[in-house]
Amino acid sequence: MELAKRLHSLKSNVFADMDAAKAIAVSSGKELIDLSLGSSDLPTESHIIEAIKLSLDDPHTHGYLLFRGTENFRVAAANWYETKFGVKIDPHTEVLPLIGSQEGTAHLPLAVLNPGDFALLLDPGYPSHAGGVYLASGQIYPMSITEKNGFLPVFNDIPGDVLTQSKLMVLSYPHNPTSAIAPLSFFQEAVAFCQQHNIILVHDFPYVDLVFHDQENSKHKSIVPSILQADPEKTVSIEFFTLSKSYNMGGFRIGYAIGNAELIQALRKVKAMVDFNQYLGILNGAIAALTGPQEGVKKAVNIFRQRRNTFINALNKIGWEVPTPQATMYIWAKLPPQWRNNSIKFCTELVKTTGVAASPGVGFGKSGEGYVRFALVQEPEILEVAVTRIAQFLISSK
């Protein structure tokens, strides 16, 4: 059987290798402490669950859900954005429900790229951003981001011959995996650059609320900018938000696209060929999340702040100095010198030897080599145990 050539770019990756290494660790009797996946272990708030429960008893929610049936959710999303960022949003033309933001980054390239067109992606960056481009038969130009530049891309480094073939740029701040944040001035620069070169600008925005600065006394107020604040007329920009991180709703797969109406309509056309919308009860739960009390968001931020502090302090005590991140649920750690050029081997050997699983930096792109990403998805006591095991591994591997 001959399969499509586009699948060649989606072949087994380092995360599949890590899954195999985890399986070996478990089969050999190791107690697994999995810090490799960015899936929140915190529960969804009760008022969100209650809204979904009430929907289950309503037979009107049991059928297919067409676009017009998502209006209440789109209105809630538009109001949430206006409150949080001060940007006016038309819920009828500028919002589209998604099955998580990953659906947006996977499907939008199908709507905007022709075969051979370039997409400008962060390196390191979230792997699914590349997957969507490959499915659309596009080419990828990796914009290397380094600690020296605050993990922000330098647009002037993009070759001219690449720019002439580029149709799409994907950014994502707060950033996975580096945890970097970007100021509004950077987004303004990105918008101006994309306007100049006729490039569509995508901002993947799942970590908007997982920021560890003191929040202002507002119901929603965010201190990290939306791309739409830099492009309030929505000339070239579209943003993807998911409720997975802010509201611990990862398993419910609910998010939305918001931005340029033409891009929203194009993405809607692709989506119409792939699926109907989610069950209406899930959208009702999402409405409850966006419009209801936000104490759960603040509680989650405080929990991840405590975990961050615990993990960083424990690493410092064993002599592994790592900068304290300002956002996300991740620690992006530069590997000790003996492992600096082989993050895959570090992670596979670590989990086989100790049961502690992490993500190798090179799995997020060539520029991620020399780093490892830890996800703070365990209680502080378990994180301390993990660091104790890491210390023993580092000593034994010298």
Side-chain angles (χ1 to χ4, degrees):
M1 183 180 296
E2 184 177 349
L3 301 178
K5 291 182 175 63
R6 68 175 58 90
L7 293 183
H8 296 170
S9 299
L10 306 178
K11 58 188 176 183
S12 177
N13 57 33
V14 298
F15 298 105
D17 296 338
M18 280 303 303
D19 283 342
K22 284 188 280 187
I24 291 172
V26 172
S27 65
S28 66
K30 295 290 186 303
E31 179 189 15
L32 188 66
I33 300 179
D34 196 345
L35 308 181
S36 65
L37 299 177
S39 178
S40 176
D41 59 315
L42 304 181
T44 308
E45 289 293 299
S46 59
H47 69 282
I48 300 172
I49 298 299
E50 188 61 29
I52 297 172
K53 285 181 179 179
L54 290 174
S55 302
L56 291 171
D57 290 328
D58 180 359
H60 293 98
T61 70
H62 296 175
Y64 289 127
L65 182 62
L66 301 179
F67 179 76
R68 65 177 180 271
T70 70
E71 181 177 2
N72 290 340
F73 172 75
R74 287 182 279 115
V75 169
N79 290 339
W80 187 87
Y81 251 74
E82 183 174 349
T83 300
K84 203 173 192 74
F85 301 112
V87 178
K88 282 281 189 182
I89 304 293
D90 185 341
H92 304 292
T93 62
E94 296 177 342
V95 183
L96 181 70
L98 297 175
I99 306 174
S101 63
Q102 187 163 320
E103 182 199 353
T105 57
H107 285 164
L108 184 66
L110 292 171
V112 302
L113 294 182
N114 291 315
D117 286 342
F118 269 97
L120 309 172
L121 306 186
L122 298 178
D123 175 18
Y126 189 56
S128 78
H129 296 168
V133 176
Y134 287 135
L135 287 175
S137 300
Q139 301 185 74
I140 291 173
Y141 177 80
M143 298 186 293
S144 179
I145 57 176
T146 64
E147 185 177 5
K148 176 183 176 182
N149 293 316
F151 295 109
L152 300 176
V154 179
F155 300 133
N156 289 336
D157 288 347
I158 302 170
D161 59 335
V162 171
L163 276 178
T164 59
Q165 302 176 71
S166 296
K167 294 283 292 293
L168 180 69
M169 177 188 290
V170 181
L171 302 175
S172 184
Y173 293 95
H175 185 243
N176 176 14
T178 70
S179 297
I181 60 175
L184 181 59
S185 58
F186 167 77
F187 287 120
Q188 291 168 335
E189 178 188 356
V191 169
F193 183 85
C194 290
Q195 289 172 333
Q196 177 184 354
H197 296 284
N198 195 29
I199 295 171
I200 293 162
L201 181 54
V202 172
H203 187 224
D204 194 11
F205 203 24
Y207 300 99
V208 54
D209 289 307
L210 287 186
V211 181
F212 303 122
H213 293 298
D214 291 333
Q215 297 289 334
E216 297 181 35
N217 294 322
S218 169
K219 183 180 179 182
H220 292 297
K221 189 74 172 180
S222 172
I223 63 169
V224 295
S226 160
I227 198 70
L228 302 183
Q229 290 175 279
D231 187 15
E233 299 302 318
K234 311 173 194 74
T235 59
V236 295
S237 304
I238 187 170
E239 195 155 65
F240 299 134
F241 176 73
T242 174
L243 280 76
S244 297
K245 312 302 181 182
S246 297
Y247 299 100
N248 305 312
M249 294 181 69
F252 294 97
R253 308 310 305 134
I254 177 65
Y256 54 86
I258 197 161
N260 178 277
E262 187 176 359
L263 293 176
I264 292 290
Q265 180 61 25
L267 183 56
R268 182 180 167 189
K269 286 182 179 180
V270 173
K271 184 177 175 65
M273 295 297 102
V274 177
D275 65 76
F276 287 97
N277 293 284
Q278 295 93 319
Y279 169 54
L280 180 57
I282 293 176
L283 267 67
N284 288 339
I287 292 169
L290 295 173
T291 62
Q294 301 298 300
E295 283 72 17
V297 178
K298 297 175 183 176
K299 181 170 66 176
V301 171
N302 287 332
I303 288 172
F304 282 111
R305 179 190 286 111
Q306 181 187 6
R307 293 178 180 184
R308 175 203 64 174
N309 293 344
T310 296
F311 198 74
I312 290 288
N313 290 338
L315 287 177
N316 288 342
K317 287 179 181 177
I318 68 170
W320 191 347
E321 294 188 5
V322 177
T324 301
Q326 300 179 66
T328 78
M329 57 174 65
Y330 307 114
I331 302 296
W332 184 243
K334 186 177 290 186
L335 284 165
Q338 68 269 32
W339 296 100
R340 194 79 33 101
N341 296 316
N342 202 335
S343 59
I344 295 177
K345 186 174 182 181
F346 173 86
C347 289
T348 54
E349 292 298 316
L350 177 67
V351 70
K352 289 178 185 177
T353 304
T354 70
V356 176
S359 294
V362 74
F364 300 95
K366 183 179 178 181
S367 295
E369 184 58 285
Y371 288 84
V372 60
R373 192 198 74 177
F374 297 102
L376 302 172
V377 292
Q378 303 285 348
E379 296 289 345
E381 298 79 11
I382 298 177
L383 293 175
E384 289 181 326
V385 172
V387 175
T388 298
R389 295 186 190 177
I390 292 170
Q392 294 168 348
F393 173 76
L394 293 175
I395 292 171
S396 65
S397 62
K398 283 186 178 179

